[in-house]
Amino acid sequence: MSTEALKEIIELDKKYYMNTFGDRQPLCFTEGKGIELTDISGKVYKDFFAGIAVSALGHAHPVLTEALKDQVSKLLHTSSVYYVENQARLAAKLCEVSDFEKVFFASTGAEANEGAIKLARKYFYNQGIDRYEIITLNKSFHGRTITTATATGQEKYKAPYKPLTPGFVHVDINDVEGLKAAVNEHTAAIMIEFIQGESGVHPVTLEFAQAIRDICNKEGILFIDDEVQTGVGRTGKMFAYQNYGIVPDIMTLAKALGGGVPVSAILAKADVAAAFNPGDHGTTFGGNPLSTRAGLAVMEVMEKENLVENSAEVGAYLKELIADKLGSNVKEIRGMGLMIGVELSSPVAKEVGKKLLEKQYLVGVIGDSIFRIVPPLIITKKDAEDFADALGECF
Ligand SMILES: Cc1ncc(COP(=O)(O)O)c(C=O)c1O
């Protein structure tokens, strides 16, 4: 295909697609294999963005591909009215590798977070306790439904949609005193990302995470852990909370869970999960045979190919390489495993992003000076070295 084909797609997009993205990168990918993506003109790029931390197994992984082909040929969808084998098996698998006892599947991260918020409120409603308020962090990102946009601690995502869902307050990340001051007799839960992704890869400190757990224990309120981006190996552990040795009460997953097939999950401790009674929550597509088959294949490959360990090892190596190549051009390198934020000393991230694109590398650019590097978890040390060389040449 040619640049003519790309021109036509851009024209169709501009004419018919709602303009929520503005000018996109002038690229359209048609195939992928491993960490490589091929665009419509045949040019091959190395993907260090993974569709914003989604394609954990890279592209067209044979195990995921075969599992999906098999499932598509047998059964796509039934209904939650019936038992669903893959749903039951994936729920069991997620409980086996985490500290939770119950699972509910949905389709997107926002939907999982919305369900987690409902679960927290229902937990206190059942007990006749007037706790409904959710504390979240400034600069967080929890989704784009009205309620999850309200939970998101960034004004730009919610200002046009007022009135918002009542009962949300925000405090600064790592501000233990601010958090303590925000807790009151109506607080139901504290909801955080262990590493804030969207705003530039900002991890919470161990002290802050411990303070959240302590406050939740003392007040009898719930700790909600949004692992939509950090979950399923991204941070060098299966789940980010395991880096801290602190177990939340509710956790949400999405992005990497289906390796590109939309599936998200709410996981909870048994006593918390019990707050949902039949009829309290539901969704048509959540946990259908296809999406949960994808989840099972992702979990199988994560284990067989030791991708959690790979994320920890190659991630640490990549950070070292970037620090070495960029020297004083870099202000701070943040994150864990293969969730890396590089904050530059000057506001040239967009230019460097362009240069990287010329070198056929894809990364995420946040604002003027931050890169988000979230490659497939299958990358090798050699891939990391090649990327760091290319990045170094951009300066
Ligand atoms: C931490 C976090 N929570 C929630 C979401 C929303 O997920 P989705 O876009 O699938 O609704 C995102 C998406 O980037 C995210 O990073």
Side-chain angles (χ1 to χ4, degrees), residues 62-74:
V63 172
L64 179 57
T65 304
E66 285 311 311
L68 291 174
K69 277 188 189 166
D70 178 60
Q71 192 61 48
V72 165
S73 70
K74 285 182 180 151

Side-chain angles (χ1 to χ4, degrees), residues 108-111 113 141-143 193 226 228-229 254-255:
T108 67
E111 202 189 351
N113 284 338
F141 188 82
H142 297 296
E193 300 149 83
D226 176 350
V228 165
Q229 188 161 157
K255 291 183 180 278

Side-chain angles (χ1 to χ4, degrees), residues 52 107-113 140-145 148 152 191 193 195-198 226-230 252 254-255 264 339 372:
I52 323 187
S107 306
T108 67
E111 202 189 351
N113 284 338
S140 57
F141 188 82
H142 297 296
R144 290 174 183 272
T145 62
T148 56
T152 292
M191 177 170 178
E193 300 149 83
I195 305 178
Q196 294 181 337
E198 197 269 350
D226 176 350
E227 298 233 14
V228 165
Q229 188 161 157
T230 54
T252 56
K255 291 183 180 278
S264 65
M339 181 168 179
R372 178 166 36 167

Side-chain angles (χ1 to χ4, degrees), residues 60-136:
H61 191 287
V63 172
L64 179 57
T65 304
E66 285 311 311
L68 291 174
K69 277 188 189 166
D70 178 60
Q71 192 61 48
V72 165
S73 70
K74 285 182 180 151
L75 185 65
L76 289 177
H77 185 84
T78 52
S79 164
S80 303
V81 168
Y82 313 107
Y83 291 97
V84 180
E85 178 182 357
N86 297 341
Q87 185 182 98
R89 294 199 190 286
L90 183 58
K93 184 73 207 170
L94 290 175
C95 290
E96 181 196 313
V97 298
S98 73
D99 292 271
F100 302 94
E101 287 105 28
K102 294 278 184 179
V103 178
F104 178 89
F105 291 113
S107 306
T108 67
E111 202 189 351
N113 284 338
E114 184 101 11
I117 292 163
K118 283 175 72 178
L119 181 61
R121 287 188 170 174
K122 184 76 194 326
Y123 177 77
F124 291 105
Y125 175 89
N126 285 358
Q127 300 173 62
I129 300 172
D130 193 21
R131 286 190 178 272
Y132 52 82
E133 213 166 76
I134 315 283
I135 300 174
T136 72

